[in-house]
């Protein structure tokens, strides 16, 4: 099986590529902007015609699109998260219409959740801000493409390599900088929100299962930890792993992207039914992997 991973050096793309390379019988092709790519491509700028030519040469049986942007202005987010999947779908229809497409979406597409409830794939989408809106546009491009495609709507991934554009990666960086200084003060935003955290290794396992599952799959599958956890618990857990001896102050409002969403929790029952997937790692294990910086299965 020839599997092309787009965004292979990114946070989740790195985990997916690593897991695929341990899969017997899989030939993994790396796609993206980074040096060493088998298919050099930037989904934000490539034309559908050029990408179709590249895909015709690569002859993939499956494409896993891990390329995405979490930070930047609305235009940059739209180029990667909305235009990118649309161009990819157009090129696949032309060059490899029988290939399966696995696209990584985001639980941010749902927008604010109802406290105490977990959202299913049938829930209405009301994204807050450009990130969630552009990820939803990418999902729509995939689910209406007519391809053998599935969107994995991922919760808040935690694990090795987490970028500083998200809270887990930013907290790890701040704690490394603070060290064991008892006078250190970390001034953060409001940490009272609840989030559904999922280990990055579990996300990678879901992507591999979706890439190799027989037959058509549901158009959208939630991939989450299944619990709404106070963000404050994640921060305290990381601080404990770091041996942080200073003080954490919640002195500012939350970010524009996350502040309006006080509750997020995904129901991943459908992923269990379709893929046999359930989260295998606890949040504590995900935080340990993040802090240690290693990627172990």
């Amino acid at each position: 099986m020839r599997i092309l991973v787009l965004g292979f050096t990114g946070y989740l793309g790195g985990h997916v590529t690593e897991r695929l390379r341990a899969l017997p019988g899989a030939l993994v092709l790396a796609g993206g902007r980074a040096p060493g790519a088998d298919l050099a491509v930037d989904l934000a700028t490539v034309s559908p015609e050029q990408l179709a030519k590249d895909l015709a040469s690569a002859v993939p049986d499956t494409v896993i699109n891990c390329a995405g942007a979490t930070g930047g202005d609305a235009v940059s987010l739209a180029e990667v998260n909305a235009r990118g999947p649309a161009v990819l779908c157009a090129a696949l229809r032309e060059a490899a219409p029988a290939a399966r497409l696995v696209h990584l979406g985001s639980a941010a597409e749902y927008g604010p959740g109802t406290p105490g409830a977990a959202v299913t794939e049938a829930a209405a989408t009301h994204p807050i801000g450009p990130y969630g809106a552009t990820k939803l546009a990418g999902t729509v491009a995939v689910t209406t493409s007519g391809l053998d495609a599935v969107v994995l709507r991922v919760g808040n991934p935690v694990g090795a390599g987490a970028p500083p554009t998200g809270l887990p990666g930013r907290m790890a960086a701040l704690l490394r900088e603070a060290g064991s200084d008892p006078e250190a003060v970390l001034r953060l935003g409001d940490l009272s929100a609840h989030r559904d955290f999922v280990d990055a290794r579990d996300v990678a396992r879901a992507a591999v299962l979706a890439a190799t599952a027989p037959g058509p799959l549901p158009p959208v599958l939630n991939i989450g930890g299944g619990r709404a956890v106070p963000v404050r618990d994640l921060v305290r857990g990381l601080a404990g792993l770091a041996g942080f001896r200073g003080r954490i102050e919640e002195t500012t409002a939350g970010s524009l992207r996350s502040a309006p969403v006080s509750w997020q929790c995904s129901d991943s029952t459908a992923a269990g039914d379709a893929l046999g997937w359930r989260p295998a790692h606890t949040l504590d294990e995900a935080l340990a992997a993040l802090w240690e910086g290693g990627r172990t299965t």
Side-chain angles (χ1 to χ4, degrees):
M1 175 179 283
R2 297 170 66 86
I3 304 176
L4 170 64
V5 181
L6 296 172
F8 74 106
T9 59
Y11 173 31
L12 294 178
H15 285 276
V16 170
T17 301
E18 182 179 32
R19 191 169 190 94
L20 279 172
R21 285 181 171 155
L23 187 68
L27 174 61
V28 182
L29 305 172
R33 297 176 298 178
D38 300 299
L39 191 157
V41 61
D42 182 351
L43 290 180
T45 59
V46 70
S47 69
E49 296 78 14
Q50 182 57 54
L51 183 54
K53 291 178 182 178
D54 294 336
L55 290 172
S57 298
V59 199
D61 298 300
T62 300
V63 176
I64 304 178
N65 183 28
C66 302
T70 57
D73 58 30
V75 173
S76 300
L77 289 169
E79 288 172 343
V80 180
N81 296 340
R83 179 190 188 275
V87 169
L88 175 58
C89 289
L92 279 171
R93 284 195 299 267
E94 176 68 24
R100 170 166 293 171
L101 172 60
V102 179
H103 174 72
L104 299 191
S106 170
E109 297 168 35
Y110 289 119
T114 301
V119 296
T120 69
E121 293 83 355
T125 49
H126 297 288
I128 299 294
Y131 172 71
T134 57
K135 289 299 289 184
L136 179 58
T139 287
V140 172
V142 172
T143 57
T144 60
S145 66
L147 297 166
D148 176 10
V150 59
V151 175
L152 303 183
R153 209 166 250 165
V154 178
N156 290 256
V158 179
T165 50
L167 179 64
R170 182 164 65 91
M171 272 305 306
L174 290 172
L175 289 166
R176 293 187 198 283
E177 183 180 350
S180 58
D181 180 4
E183 302 301 318
V185 179
L186 300 185
R187 294 181 173 85
L188 306 174
D190 179 21
L191 302 176
S192 63
H194 288 65
R195 291 289 182 270
D196 188 336
F197 296 108
V198 59
D199 193 295
R201 293 166 293 186
D202 285 330
V203 176
R205 182 165 52 87
V208 173
L209 287 170
T212 57
L217 293 171
V220 177
L221 291 172
N222 289 337
I223 302 297
R227 292 192 306 131
V229 178
V231 173
R232 194 173 289 118
D233 288 0
L234 177 139
V235 170
R236 289 173 176 169
L238 260 182
L241 287 169
F244 180 66
R245 299 168 57 202
R247 191 169 72 255
I248 295 173
E249 295 182 355
E250 299 177 41
T251 59
T252 62
S255 70
L256 292 176
R257 172 177 150 189
S258 61
V261 183
S262 63
W263 177 276
Q264 182 192 71
C265 186
S266 296
D267 184 335
S268 298
T269 301
D273 294 339
L275 304 175
W277 179 91
R278 287 173 181 78
H281 297 280
T282 65
L283 177 57
D284 286 343
E285 290 170 336
L287 291 175
L290 167 59
W291 184 250
E292 293 163 9
R295 288 179 179 164
T296 56
T297 302

